[in-house]
Amino acid sequence: MGGSQMEGQNASAGFKSGYVAIVGAPNVGKSTLLNRILREKISITTPKPQTTRNRILGILNEPDCQMIFVDTPGIHSARDSFNRILVETALSTLREVDAVCFLMDASGGDRDINDFIVENLRRLESPIILAINKIDTLQEKSRLLPFMEHCRGLLPFHAIIPICALSGDGVDVLVEEVRGLLPAGPRYFPEDYITDMPERFLAGEIIREKIFHLVHQEVPYAVAVVVEEFTEEPQRNLIRIQAAINVERDSQKAIIIGKQGQMLKEIGKQARKDMEVLLGCRIYLGLFVRVQKDWRKDRRTLTEFGYSPR
Ligand SMILES: Nc1nc2c(ncn2[C@@H]2O[C@H](COP(=O)(O)OP(=O)(O)OP(=O)(O)O)[C@@H](O)[C@H]2O)c(=O)[nH]1
Ligand SMILES: [Mg+2]
């Protein structure tokens, strides 16, 4: 990644392009913002922190520019090696982009985490836009201006923009600011691409999202979904998907399956519905649960499941 290092095609006079990292603490609404900008759901969102685990590109194609937004895992004080990989995925993205969109919760969020992120941003040369998200949740609107004033003192931000990623308020303004920061450059991806992630990855993420929504407490954090079969049958307008839901323990397997298989059935039902919308065809979805003991502690399994900083 990185504008100057990549050789794209069709560089024409006046065309602009660039990579823009979306970073921030967990749960501030980074993935919601990415989906809102693209008007397409490519990154999963849940009410729980540490949902996103990979770097996910969202490509906004316009006649005169290509903006490549990079959704990242939430930055936090990681306590274990798995979470350190997630944080490193986000921090390493910062060094490879043309601009940064730093998201903060309008309520201020976790001060230590934001201080840590600011320290990492301070070393960058690329311009940084601060987006203050979830302004709809502010009880007293009068607190927004003093908060923006406080943020102004943190870093020399290119702009500070209050937004509501959920409703889209302010998001157009944010995109316009980003557009103004793009350097001259080529179209890195074909015009009909909206993400670099393969469909089988997106299918796995949809399953993971349903588990986050349906299964409570810590279990979703112990889940890694691997799509083991993804077969297109265009003449039948069908995609056949087989996915393994990996968990760390037998007790988690029992929770995912549920009484008489009800939970697994519901996960499958909801995931299939979303997949049909995203992929625009009928889906045959087969799910099974597998115990992969302590996979989060095992480097090899982490890489196998697609979790590594690079
Ligand atoms: N009220 C309100 N909720 C929002 C807004 N933006 C996002 N949310 C909610 O905040 C929660 C977290 O959103 P995500 O987009 O998953 O957050 P994230 O920053 O990607 O989280 P991680 O991937 O875990 O780092 C979800 O329940 C969203 O619906 C907003 O503008 N207003
Ligand atoms: Mg996310």
Side-chain angles (χ1 to χ4, degrees), residues 59-252:
I59 305 160
L60 188 64
N61 289 297
E62 295 194 351
D64 58 347
C65 73
Q66 187 168 63
M67 295 182 219
I68 305 159
F69 291 90
V70 192
D71 187 15
T72 60
I75 297 171
H76 60 285
S77 47
R79 276 167 302 171
D80 53 53
S81 59
F82 176 54
N83 278 287
R84 275 200 290 274
I85 288 176
L86 303 189
V87 173
E88 183 49 32
T89 299
L91 292 177
S92 62
T93 304
L94 287 174
R95 300 190 281 270
E96 303 175 341
V97 292
D98 300 289
V100 174
C101 173
F102 171 30
L103 226 62
M104 260 170 105
D105 193 299
S107 69
D110 185 311
R111 200 161 171 169
D112 288 344
I113 290 175
N114 283 328
D115 285 351
F116 174 70
I117 298 172
V118 165
E119 282 320 303
N120 277 278
L121 295 177
R122 200 182 294 289
R123 305 182 200 134
L124 298 180
E125 283 175 21
S126 1
I128 304 161
I129 295 173
L130 174 65
I132 298 176
N133 191 31
K134 306 196 188 185
I135 50 168
D136 58 308
T137 62
L138 276 181
Q139 301 283 346
E140 296 167 53
K141 303 287 172 212
S142 60
R143 295 175 74 166
L144 184 59
L145 279 178
F147 183 59
M148 287 171 73
E149 201 48 50
H150 159 77
C151 292
R152 224 177 293 282
L154 297 176
L155 276 180
F157 292 115
H158 172 79
I160 299 180
I161 304 165
I163 65 166
C164 173
L166 210 52
S167 71
D169 273 1
V171 173
D172 288 351
V173 181
L174 175 64
V175 171
E176 281 316 303
E177 285 292 346
V178 169
R179 184 199 302 278
L181 292 174
L182 294 181
R187 199 185 281 288
Y188 292 112
F189 292 89
E191 210 170 347
D192 55 349
Y193 270 47
I194 55 162
T195 183
D196 66 329
M197 291 314 216
E199 286 178 340
R200 61 191 298 152
F201 170 85
L202 302 179
E205 287 290 273
I206 289 173
I207 297 164
R208 217 162 55 77
E209 180 184 77
K210 298 312 165 200
I211 295 170
F212 261 97
H213 282 283
L214 290 166
V215 183
H216 299 295
Q217 292 165 338
E218 296 301 303
V219 178
Y221 294 102
V223 165
V225 176
V226 176
V227 172
E228 305 205 327
E229 188 200 328
F230 190 99
T231 315
E232 297 183 52
E233 295 185 22
Q235 69 284 11
R236 296 176 64 196
N237 192 32
L238 178 84
I239 299 178
R240 211 173 272 283
I241 298 173
Q242 285 284 350
I245 299 173
N246 293 279
V247 291
E248 292 189 315
R249 297 174 205 300
D250 289 328
S251 57
Q252 294 160 345

Side-chain angles (χ1 to χ4, degrees), residues 25-32 43-46 48-54 56 71-74 208:
N27 211 40
V28 288
K30 300 177 294 299
S31 304
T32 306
S43 193
I44 61 167
T45 64
T46 80
K48 294 189 176 134
Q50 277 121 263
T51 298
T52 305
R53 294 175 176 170
N54 305 81
I56 296 170
D71 187 15
T72 60
R208 217 162 55 77

